Amino acid sequence: MKTSGPIALKEWAVAVRALEEGEQILIMRKGGIAEETRDFQVQSDSFYLFPTYEHQKKHLLKDEYKHRIDESLSLWNPQDATVGITCFARVEEDIEILDERRLDRLRPFHIWTDQFAEERLKWKRKNPLHVLLLRVYKLDRPIRIPIVPAYTGCKSWIRLEAELPETGLVPVLDERRFQSERQRIKDALDIG
């Protein structure tokens, strides 16, 4: 990975939207096939969210979110060769999940189906599923950047080659609401 420039985490465009709208504060990661270490590691506590479109699957979203794949694809033009960056995030917690019972407790806190969550957990069974609780900030102005070959492939982290203009960051959830949601998740997992 390039060693300078802003870092970004690749995530489904529908998940980025759910984070941006405050509908969830978590993501689940196990690592991409092309990861250097072959498993997921938090490479930065703060990063841009880089929306991806190729691997989104309707059947892996809860019914009330399935339509968002079509919406996200309608906004994406692969021939355009650019992507819109709208969010910045900070990792507030990295919770490791190793069993399905604990994973099931997260069901009310995300947009994905049980099948999605279980597949993530079961892949590379010996490695934990990382549940990242994110404090998300919306950029006051979306930024369009060119997609370069270094951004493609099944990997979680990328270094952006584009210089990002200064922009304001507005918290998606106010502090009280964020901390309340964070505590609800921790209580569900019995980690206080």
Side-chain angles (χ1 to χ4, degrees):
M1 180 167 50
K2 187 179 164 210
T3 58
S4 64
I7 194 165
L9 179 70
K10 294 171 64 176
E11 184 57 78
W12 285 10
V14 292
V16 171
R17 178 176 169 192
L19 291 163
E20 181 180 340
E21 293 184 1
E23 296 170 324
Q24 70 183 41
I25 65 166
L26 68 82
I27 58 172
M28 298 179 213
R29 301 308 280 228
K30 215 37 166 339
I33 293 168
E35 304 288 358
E36 287 179 23
T37 62
R38 306 294 282 174
D39 64 342
F40 180 78
Q41 296 177 359
V42 176
Q43 293 186 8
S44 178
D45 288 339
S46 57
F47 46 85
Y48 289 92
L49 290 166
F50 187 97
T52 62
Y53 300 86
E54 299 88 354
H55 300 299
Q56 300 183 111
K57 301 210 178 344
K58 278 186 188 180
H59 73 278
L60 296 177
L61 293 174
K62 293 176 182 171
D63 288 342
E64 61 268 32
Y65 298 101
K66 290 178 190 267
H67 70 282
R68 289 194 179 172
I69 288 187
D70 293 332
E71 288 175 5
S72 74
L73 292 174
S74 74
L75 301 172
W76 180 57
N77 176 357
Q79 283 71 37
D80 179 29
T82 66
V83 66
I85 305 292
T86 60
C87 296
F88 185 81
R90 295 186 202 288
V91 177
E92 296 293 328
E93 304 264 351
D94 179 4
I95 302 166
E96 295 183 355
I97 303 287
L98 289 164
D99 64 88
E100 199 169 318
R101 180 186 56 78
R102 287 188 78 214
L103 180 63
D104 288 346
R105 294 179 185 174
L106 295 174
R107 187 177 294 124
F109 303 104
H110 60 76
I111 64 172
W112 298 291
T113 61
D114 291 344
Q115 179 185 353
F116 172 90
E118 290 165 10
E119 285 177 4
R120 289 267 169 123
L121 179 65
K122 290 176 182 174
W123 187 63
K124 296 184 180 180
R125 183 53 126 169
K126 293 179 181 173
N127 296 341
L129 177 68
H130 292 263
V131 175
L132 301 180
L133 303 188
L134 302 179
R135 178 81 172 159
V136 178
Y137 300 84
K138 190 169 181 176
L139 279 59
D140 61 5
R141 291 184 324 267
I143 301 167
R144 289 212 73 80
I145 61 170
I147 298 174
V148 298
Y151 302 165
T152 61
C154 192
K155 54 191 166 195
S156 300
W157 299 100
I158 56 175
R159 285 275 178 188
L160 301 178
E161 295 183 7
E163 289 299 320
L164 299 184
E166 289 283 325
T167 184
L169 300 175
V170 178
V172 170
L173 300 176
D174 65 36
E175 184 67 20
R176 186 184 58 74
R177 197 160 151 228
F178 173 78
Q179 293 302 339
S180 173
E181 189 67 6
R182 179 183 185 180
Q183 193 59 52
R184 287 180 60 224
I185 292 169
K186 291 174 73 173
D187 288 346
L189 295 172
D190 292 326
I191 57 175

